[in-house]
Amino acid sequence: INAEYGGSLDDTMRFYTSVFDMKLHRHEEFGSGCEATCNGPYGGAWSKTMIGYGTEITNTALELTFNYGVDKYELGNDFRYIAIAKKDFGERAATQGFDVTPTLPGGYQIVKSPDGYHYLLVPGTEGCNPSDPFLFVSLNVTNLKNSTDFYKALGFKVFSNIPGALNTPNSVVLGFDDTTFKIELVELPKGIALDHKKGIGRLAIETDDEAPIDVAAIMKKINAKIVHGPFKLPPHDEHVIIVADPDGYEYCFVGMTGYRNGSLSVKTKTIDWEHRKKLVGEATAKTTPPPVTTTTTTAAPSNALITPIVGGQQYEEAKKASATSGKVTVIKYHANWCIACKKSAPEVEALAKKLTDKAVFYSVDTDANKDIPEVAQIQRLPYFAVVSGGGKNMESFTGWKGPEFEALVEQVYSKAK
């Protein structure tokens, strides 16, 4: 499970090792953003730290993702907690000075990590199995039936009487079998919107090597969103597909052979803290924002093919243009720090030239246009919107896969004619 982004990896590691007695499986450093947005919507240097019990191959593991230059992640109301067998973890947390509640009715306690993530300590259970005290992750959803149908389509089964679960009409626990980590879904009260913000990660599930192809077929059959793939992720040719459930929670299905080859090939089981201090300093210097200035003028196009958007008014005008231009409107969302955005820019420009008779391309710098409501909802960059009907119809596309995106633009154009 890719459970959280670490704001301070040293404090975070001390929390998991001293409170939960987890061990470091492997640690990796990366110079730039992941092709599959493994480190979220960030293009700079980052690190991956796998921790847990037993081995990474046989047990549930946590992936702690640290993005250099990012001090804190704003948490939404999506992630509730991870449930774990109680053992002596509450006492350990209190002794180490971490936040832990008094014992609640039923013997439960809640421990909070340095980054604000909650862990429910469940008494009277070993966990998934004797070597794995993890039980389930609890997530809020907007429509329990829709979400349950999605997971069932992927082969999840409903489980009852799981220790620590709510077991109420507005919740359900899903998983693959009795001895593996599970997911609890809890429907939010009517009128409360689900807000992911920036603090949630992905859940990753090891599969048979060819299963990502099957998952893609299922997603198309149920008209669900494929975020990335299916593709092979270098350097170990991991078969990968990343999909999103009805509420936008992302799941990475990764083929067994490539995943195990990749995880076993990493021999680094220590963290070079001095090297990290240097990288943190470099990243902080790069991300110090310049003074903010405002302007009421409309920016000129950076080229004749893609028009930059400045401000909400121009943004709304761009969307409405599809009603009278006879073309669809394509809006590219990007940021200066996004390496994937920069790498794909020439291909996007080439596509804008190729489709000049069918689409008008615009671009939105997300850092400079935070007043545009849609910008706040974007979780990954680059991100594209294909608009028709004067803004009434909008299709979204995350990441950059040229042929797939071109096909989407063609499809929207054909429907709009």
Side-chain angles (χ1 to χ4, degrees):
I1 173 175
N2 185 341
E4 64 182 87
Y5 296 110
S8 173
L9 185 60
D10 49 356
D11 289 342
T12 300
M13 283 298 297
R14 185 170 69 87
F15 171 77
Y16 286 107
T17 56
S18 64
V19 174
F20 291 111
D21 202 25
M22 296 184 195
K23 69 176 184 180
L24 175 64
H25 293 315
R26 58 183 165 110
H27 177 80
E28 298 176 78
E29 299 279 348
F30 302 91
S32 60
C34 170
E35 178 184 342
T37 58
C38 310
N39 62 314
Y42 305 95
W46 64 288
S47 70
K48 173 199 296 185
T49 309
M50 303 299 296
I51 61 173
Y53 304 95
T55 72
E56 185 182 340
I57 302 301
T58 59
N59 290 59
T60 305
L62 296 181
E63 178 179 323
L64 307 179
T65 307
F66 182 97
N67 286 290
Y68 289 97
V70 179
D71 293 327
K72 186 178 180 181
Y73 300 90
E74 187 178 7
L75 303 182
N77 64 348
D78 43 13
F79 176 88
R80 300 179 74 237
Y81 45 70
I82 289 177
I84 189 169
K86 187 173 184 180
K87 301 185 183 293
D88 62 346
F89 298 148
E91 292 83 353
R92 285 171 174 257
T95 300
Q96 295 289 328
F98 293 106
D99 289 342
V100 57
T101 65
T103 301
L104 304 171
Y108 300 97
Q109 285 182 284
I110 295 176
V111 177
K112 186 167 73 172
S113 79
D115 295 304
Y117 299 92
H118 290 168
Y119 287 80
L120 177 69
L121 307 184
V122 182
T125 179
E126 292 182 318
C128 291
N129 57 66
S131 68
D132 197 342
F134 287 111
L135 288 161
F136 59 85
V137 59
S138 185
L139 305 172
N140 283 324
V141 298
T142 53
N143 186 301
L144 188 63
K145 183 182 183 304
N146 289 347
S147 295
T148 302
D149 289 345
F150 172 87
Y151 290 93
K152 284 183 176 179
L154 286 171
F156 284 79
K157 297 182 292 185
V158 174
F159 289 83
S160 58
N161 300 318
I162 299 299
L166 294 179
N167 296 309
T168 57
N170 71 323
S171 67
V172 66
V173 176
L174 299 133
F176 292 111
D177 61 52
D178 291 323
T179 61
T180 58
F181 190 72
K182 297 173 180 62
I183 302 168
E184 179 184 53
L185 305 178
V186 180
E187 186 171 276
L188 286 167
K190 300 298 182 185
I192 296 181
L194 186 71
D195 189 354
H196 288 295
K197 295 195 183 296
K198 300 295 182 182
I200 189 70
R202 278 186 190 135
L203 284 91
I205 301 169
E206 184 186 79
T207 68
D208 293 335
D209 288 341
E210 302 305 321
I213 302 297
D214 299 331
V215 171
I218 293 171
M219 291 296 98
K220 292 176 181 178
K221 181 178 180 180
I222 64 175
N223 196 29
K225 183 178 180 180
I226 297 176
V227 180
H228 293 293
F231 61 94
K232 289 185 178 181
L233 189 64
H236 301 288
D237 284 340
E238 295 170 276
H239 294 242
V240 172
I241 186 170
I242 299 167
V243 303
D245 81 350
D247 286 296
Y249 292 108
E250 293 187 3
Y251 291 82
C252 176
F253 292 86
V254 54
M256 179 187 302
T257 301
Y259 175 73
R260 295 189 177 188
N261 287 343
S263 61
L264 293 174
S265 69
V266 179
K267 306 300 182 183
T268 307
K269 295 184 181 295
T270 59
I271 299 173
D272 187 339
W273 296 108
E274 290 301 316
H275 178 64
R276 290 182 62 83
K277 286 181 182 179
K278 179 182 177 182
L279 293 178
V280 168
E282 292 175 353
T284 301
K286 290 179 181 178
T287 56
T288 301
V292 177
T293 58
T294 58
T295 178
T296 56
T297 61
T298 299
S302 59
N303 54 60
L305 299 170
I306 303 177
T307 303
I309 288 175
V310 178
Q313 181 177 348
Q314 188 182 2
Y315 179 78
E316 293 301 323
E317 290 173 353
K319 290 196 297 182
K320 292 177 182 177
S322 60
T324 56
S325 66
K327 305 177 183 180
V328 298
T329 294
V330 175
I331 303 175
K332 178 186 77 170
Y333 302 80
H334 66 97
N336 288 332
W337 47 259
C338 174
I339 292 177
C341 301
K342 294 177 180 179
K343 287 182 177 179
S344 62
E347 293 183 44
V348 176
E349 185 172 340
L351 183 62
K353 183 177 182 179
K354 180 179 180 180
L355 299 179
T356 186
D357 293 333
K358 299 177 180 179
V360 180
F361 279 66
Y362 296 85
S363 67
V364 172
D365 183 331
T366 56
D367 288 336
N369 290 280
K370 295 184 182 296
D371 60 318
I372 296 176
E374 284 83 351
V375 168
Q377 306 301 318
I378 295 172
Q379 299 292 313
R380 306 274 189 267
L381 291 177
Y383 178 89
F384 299 85
V386 185
V387 185
S388 61
K392 295 180 180 178
N393 306 306
M394 183 179 296
E395 297 286 342
S396 63
F397 191 93
T398 305
W400 177 248
K401 297 290 181 182
E404 294 178 22
F405 182 67
E406 180 179 352
L408 175 63
V409 176
E410 293 277 10
Q411 180 183 24
V412 174
Y413 175 75
S414 297
K415 289 182 179 179
K417 287 175 62 177

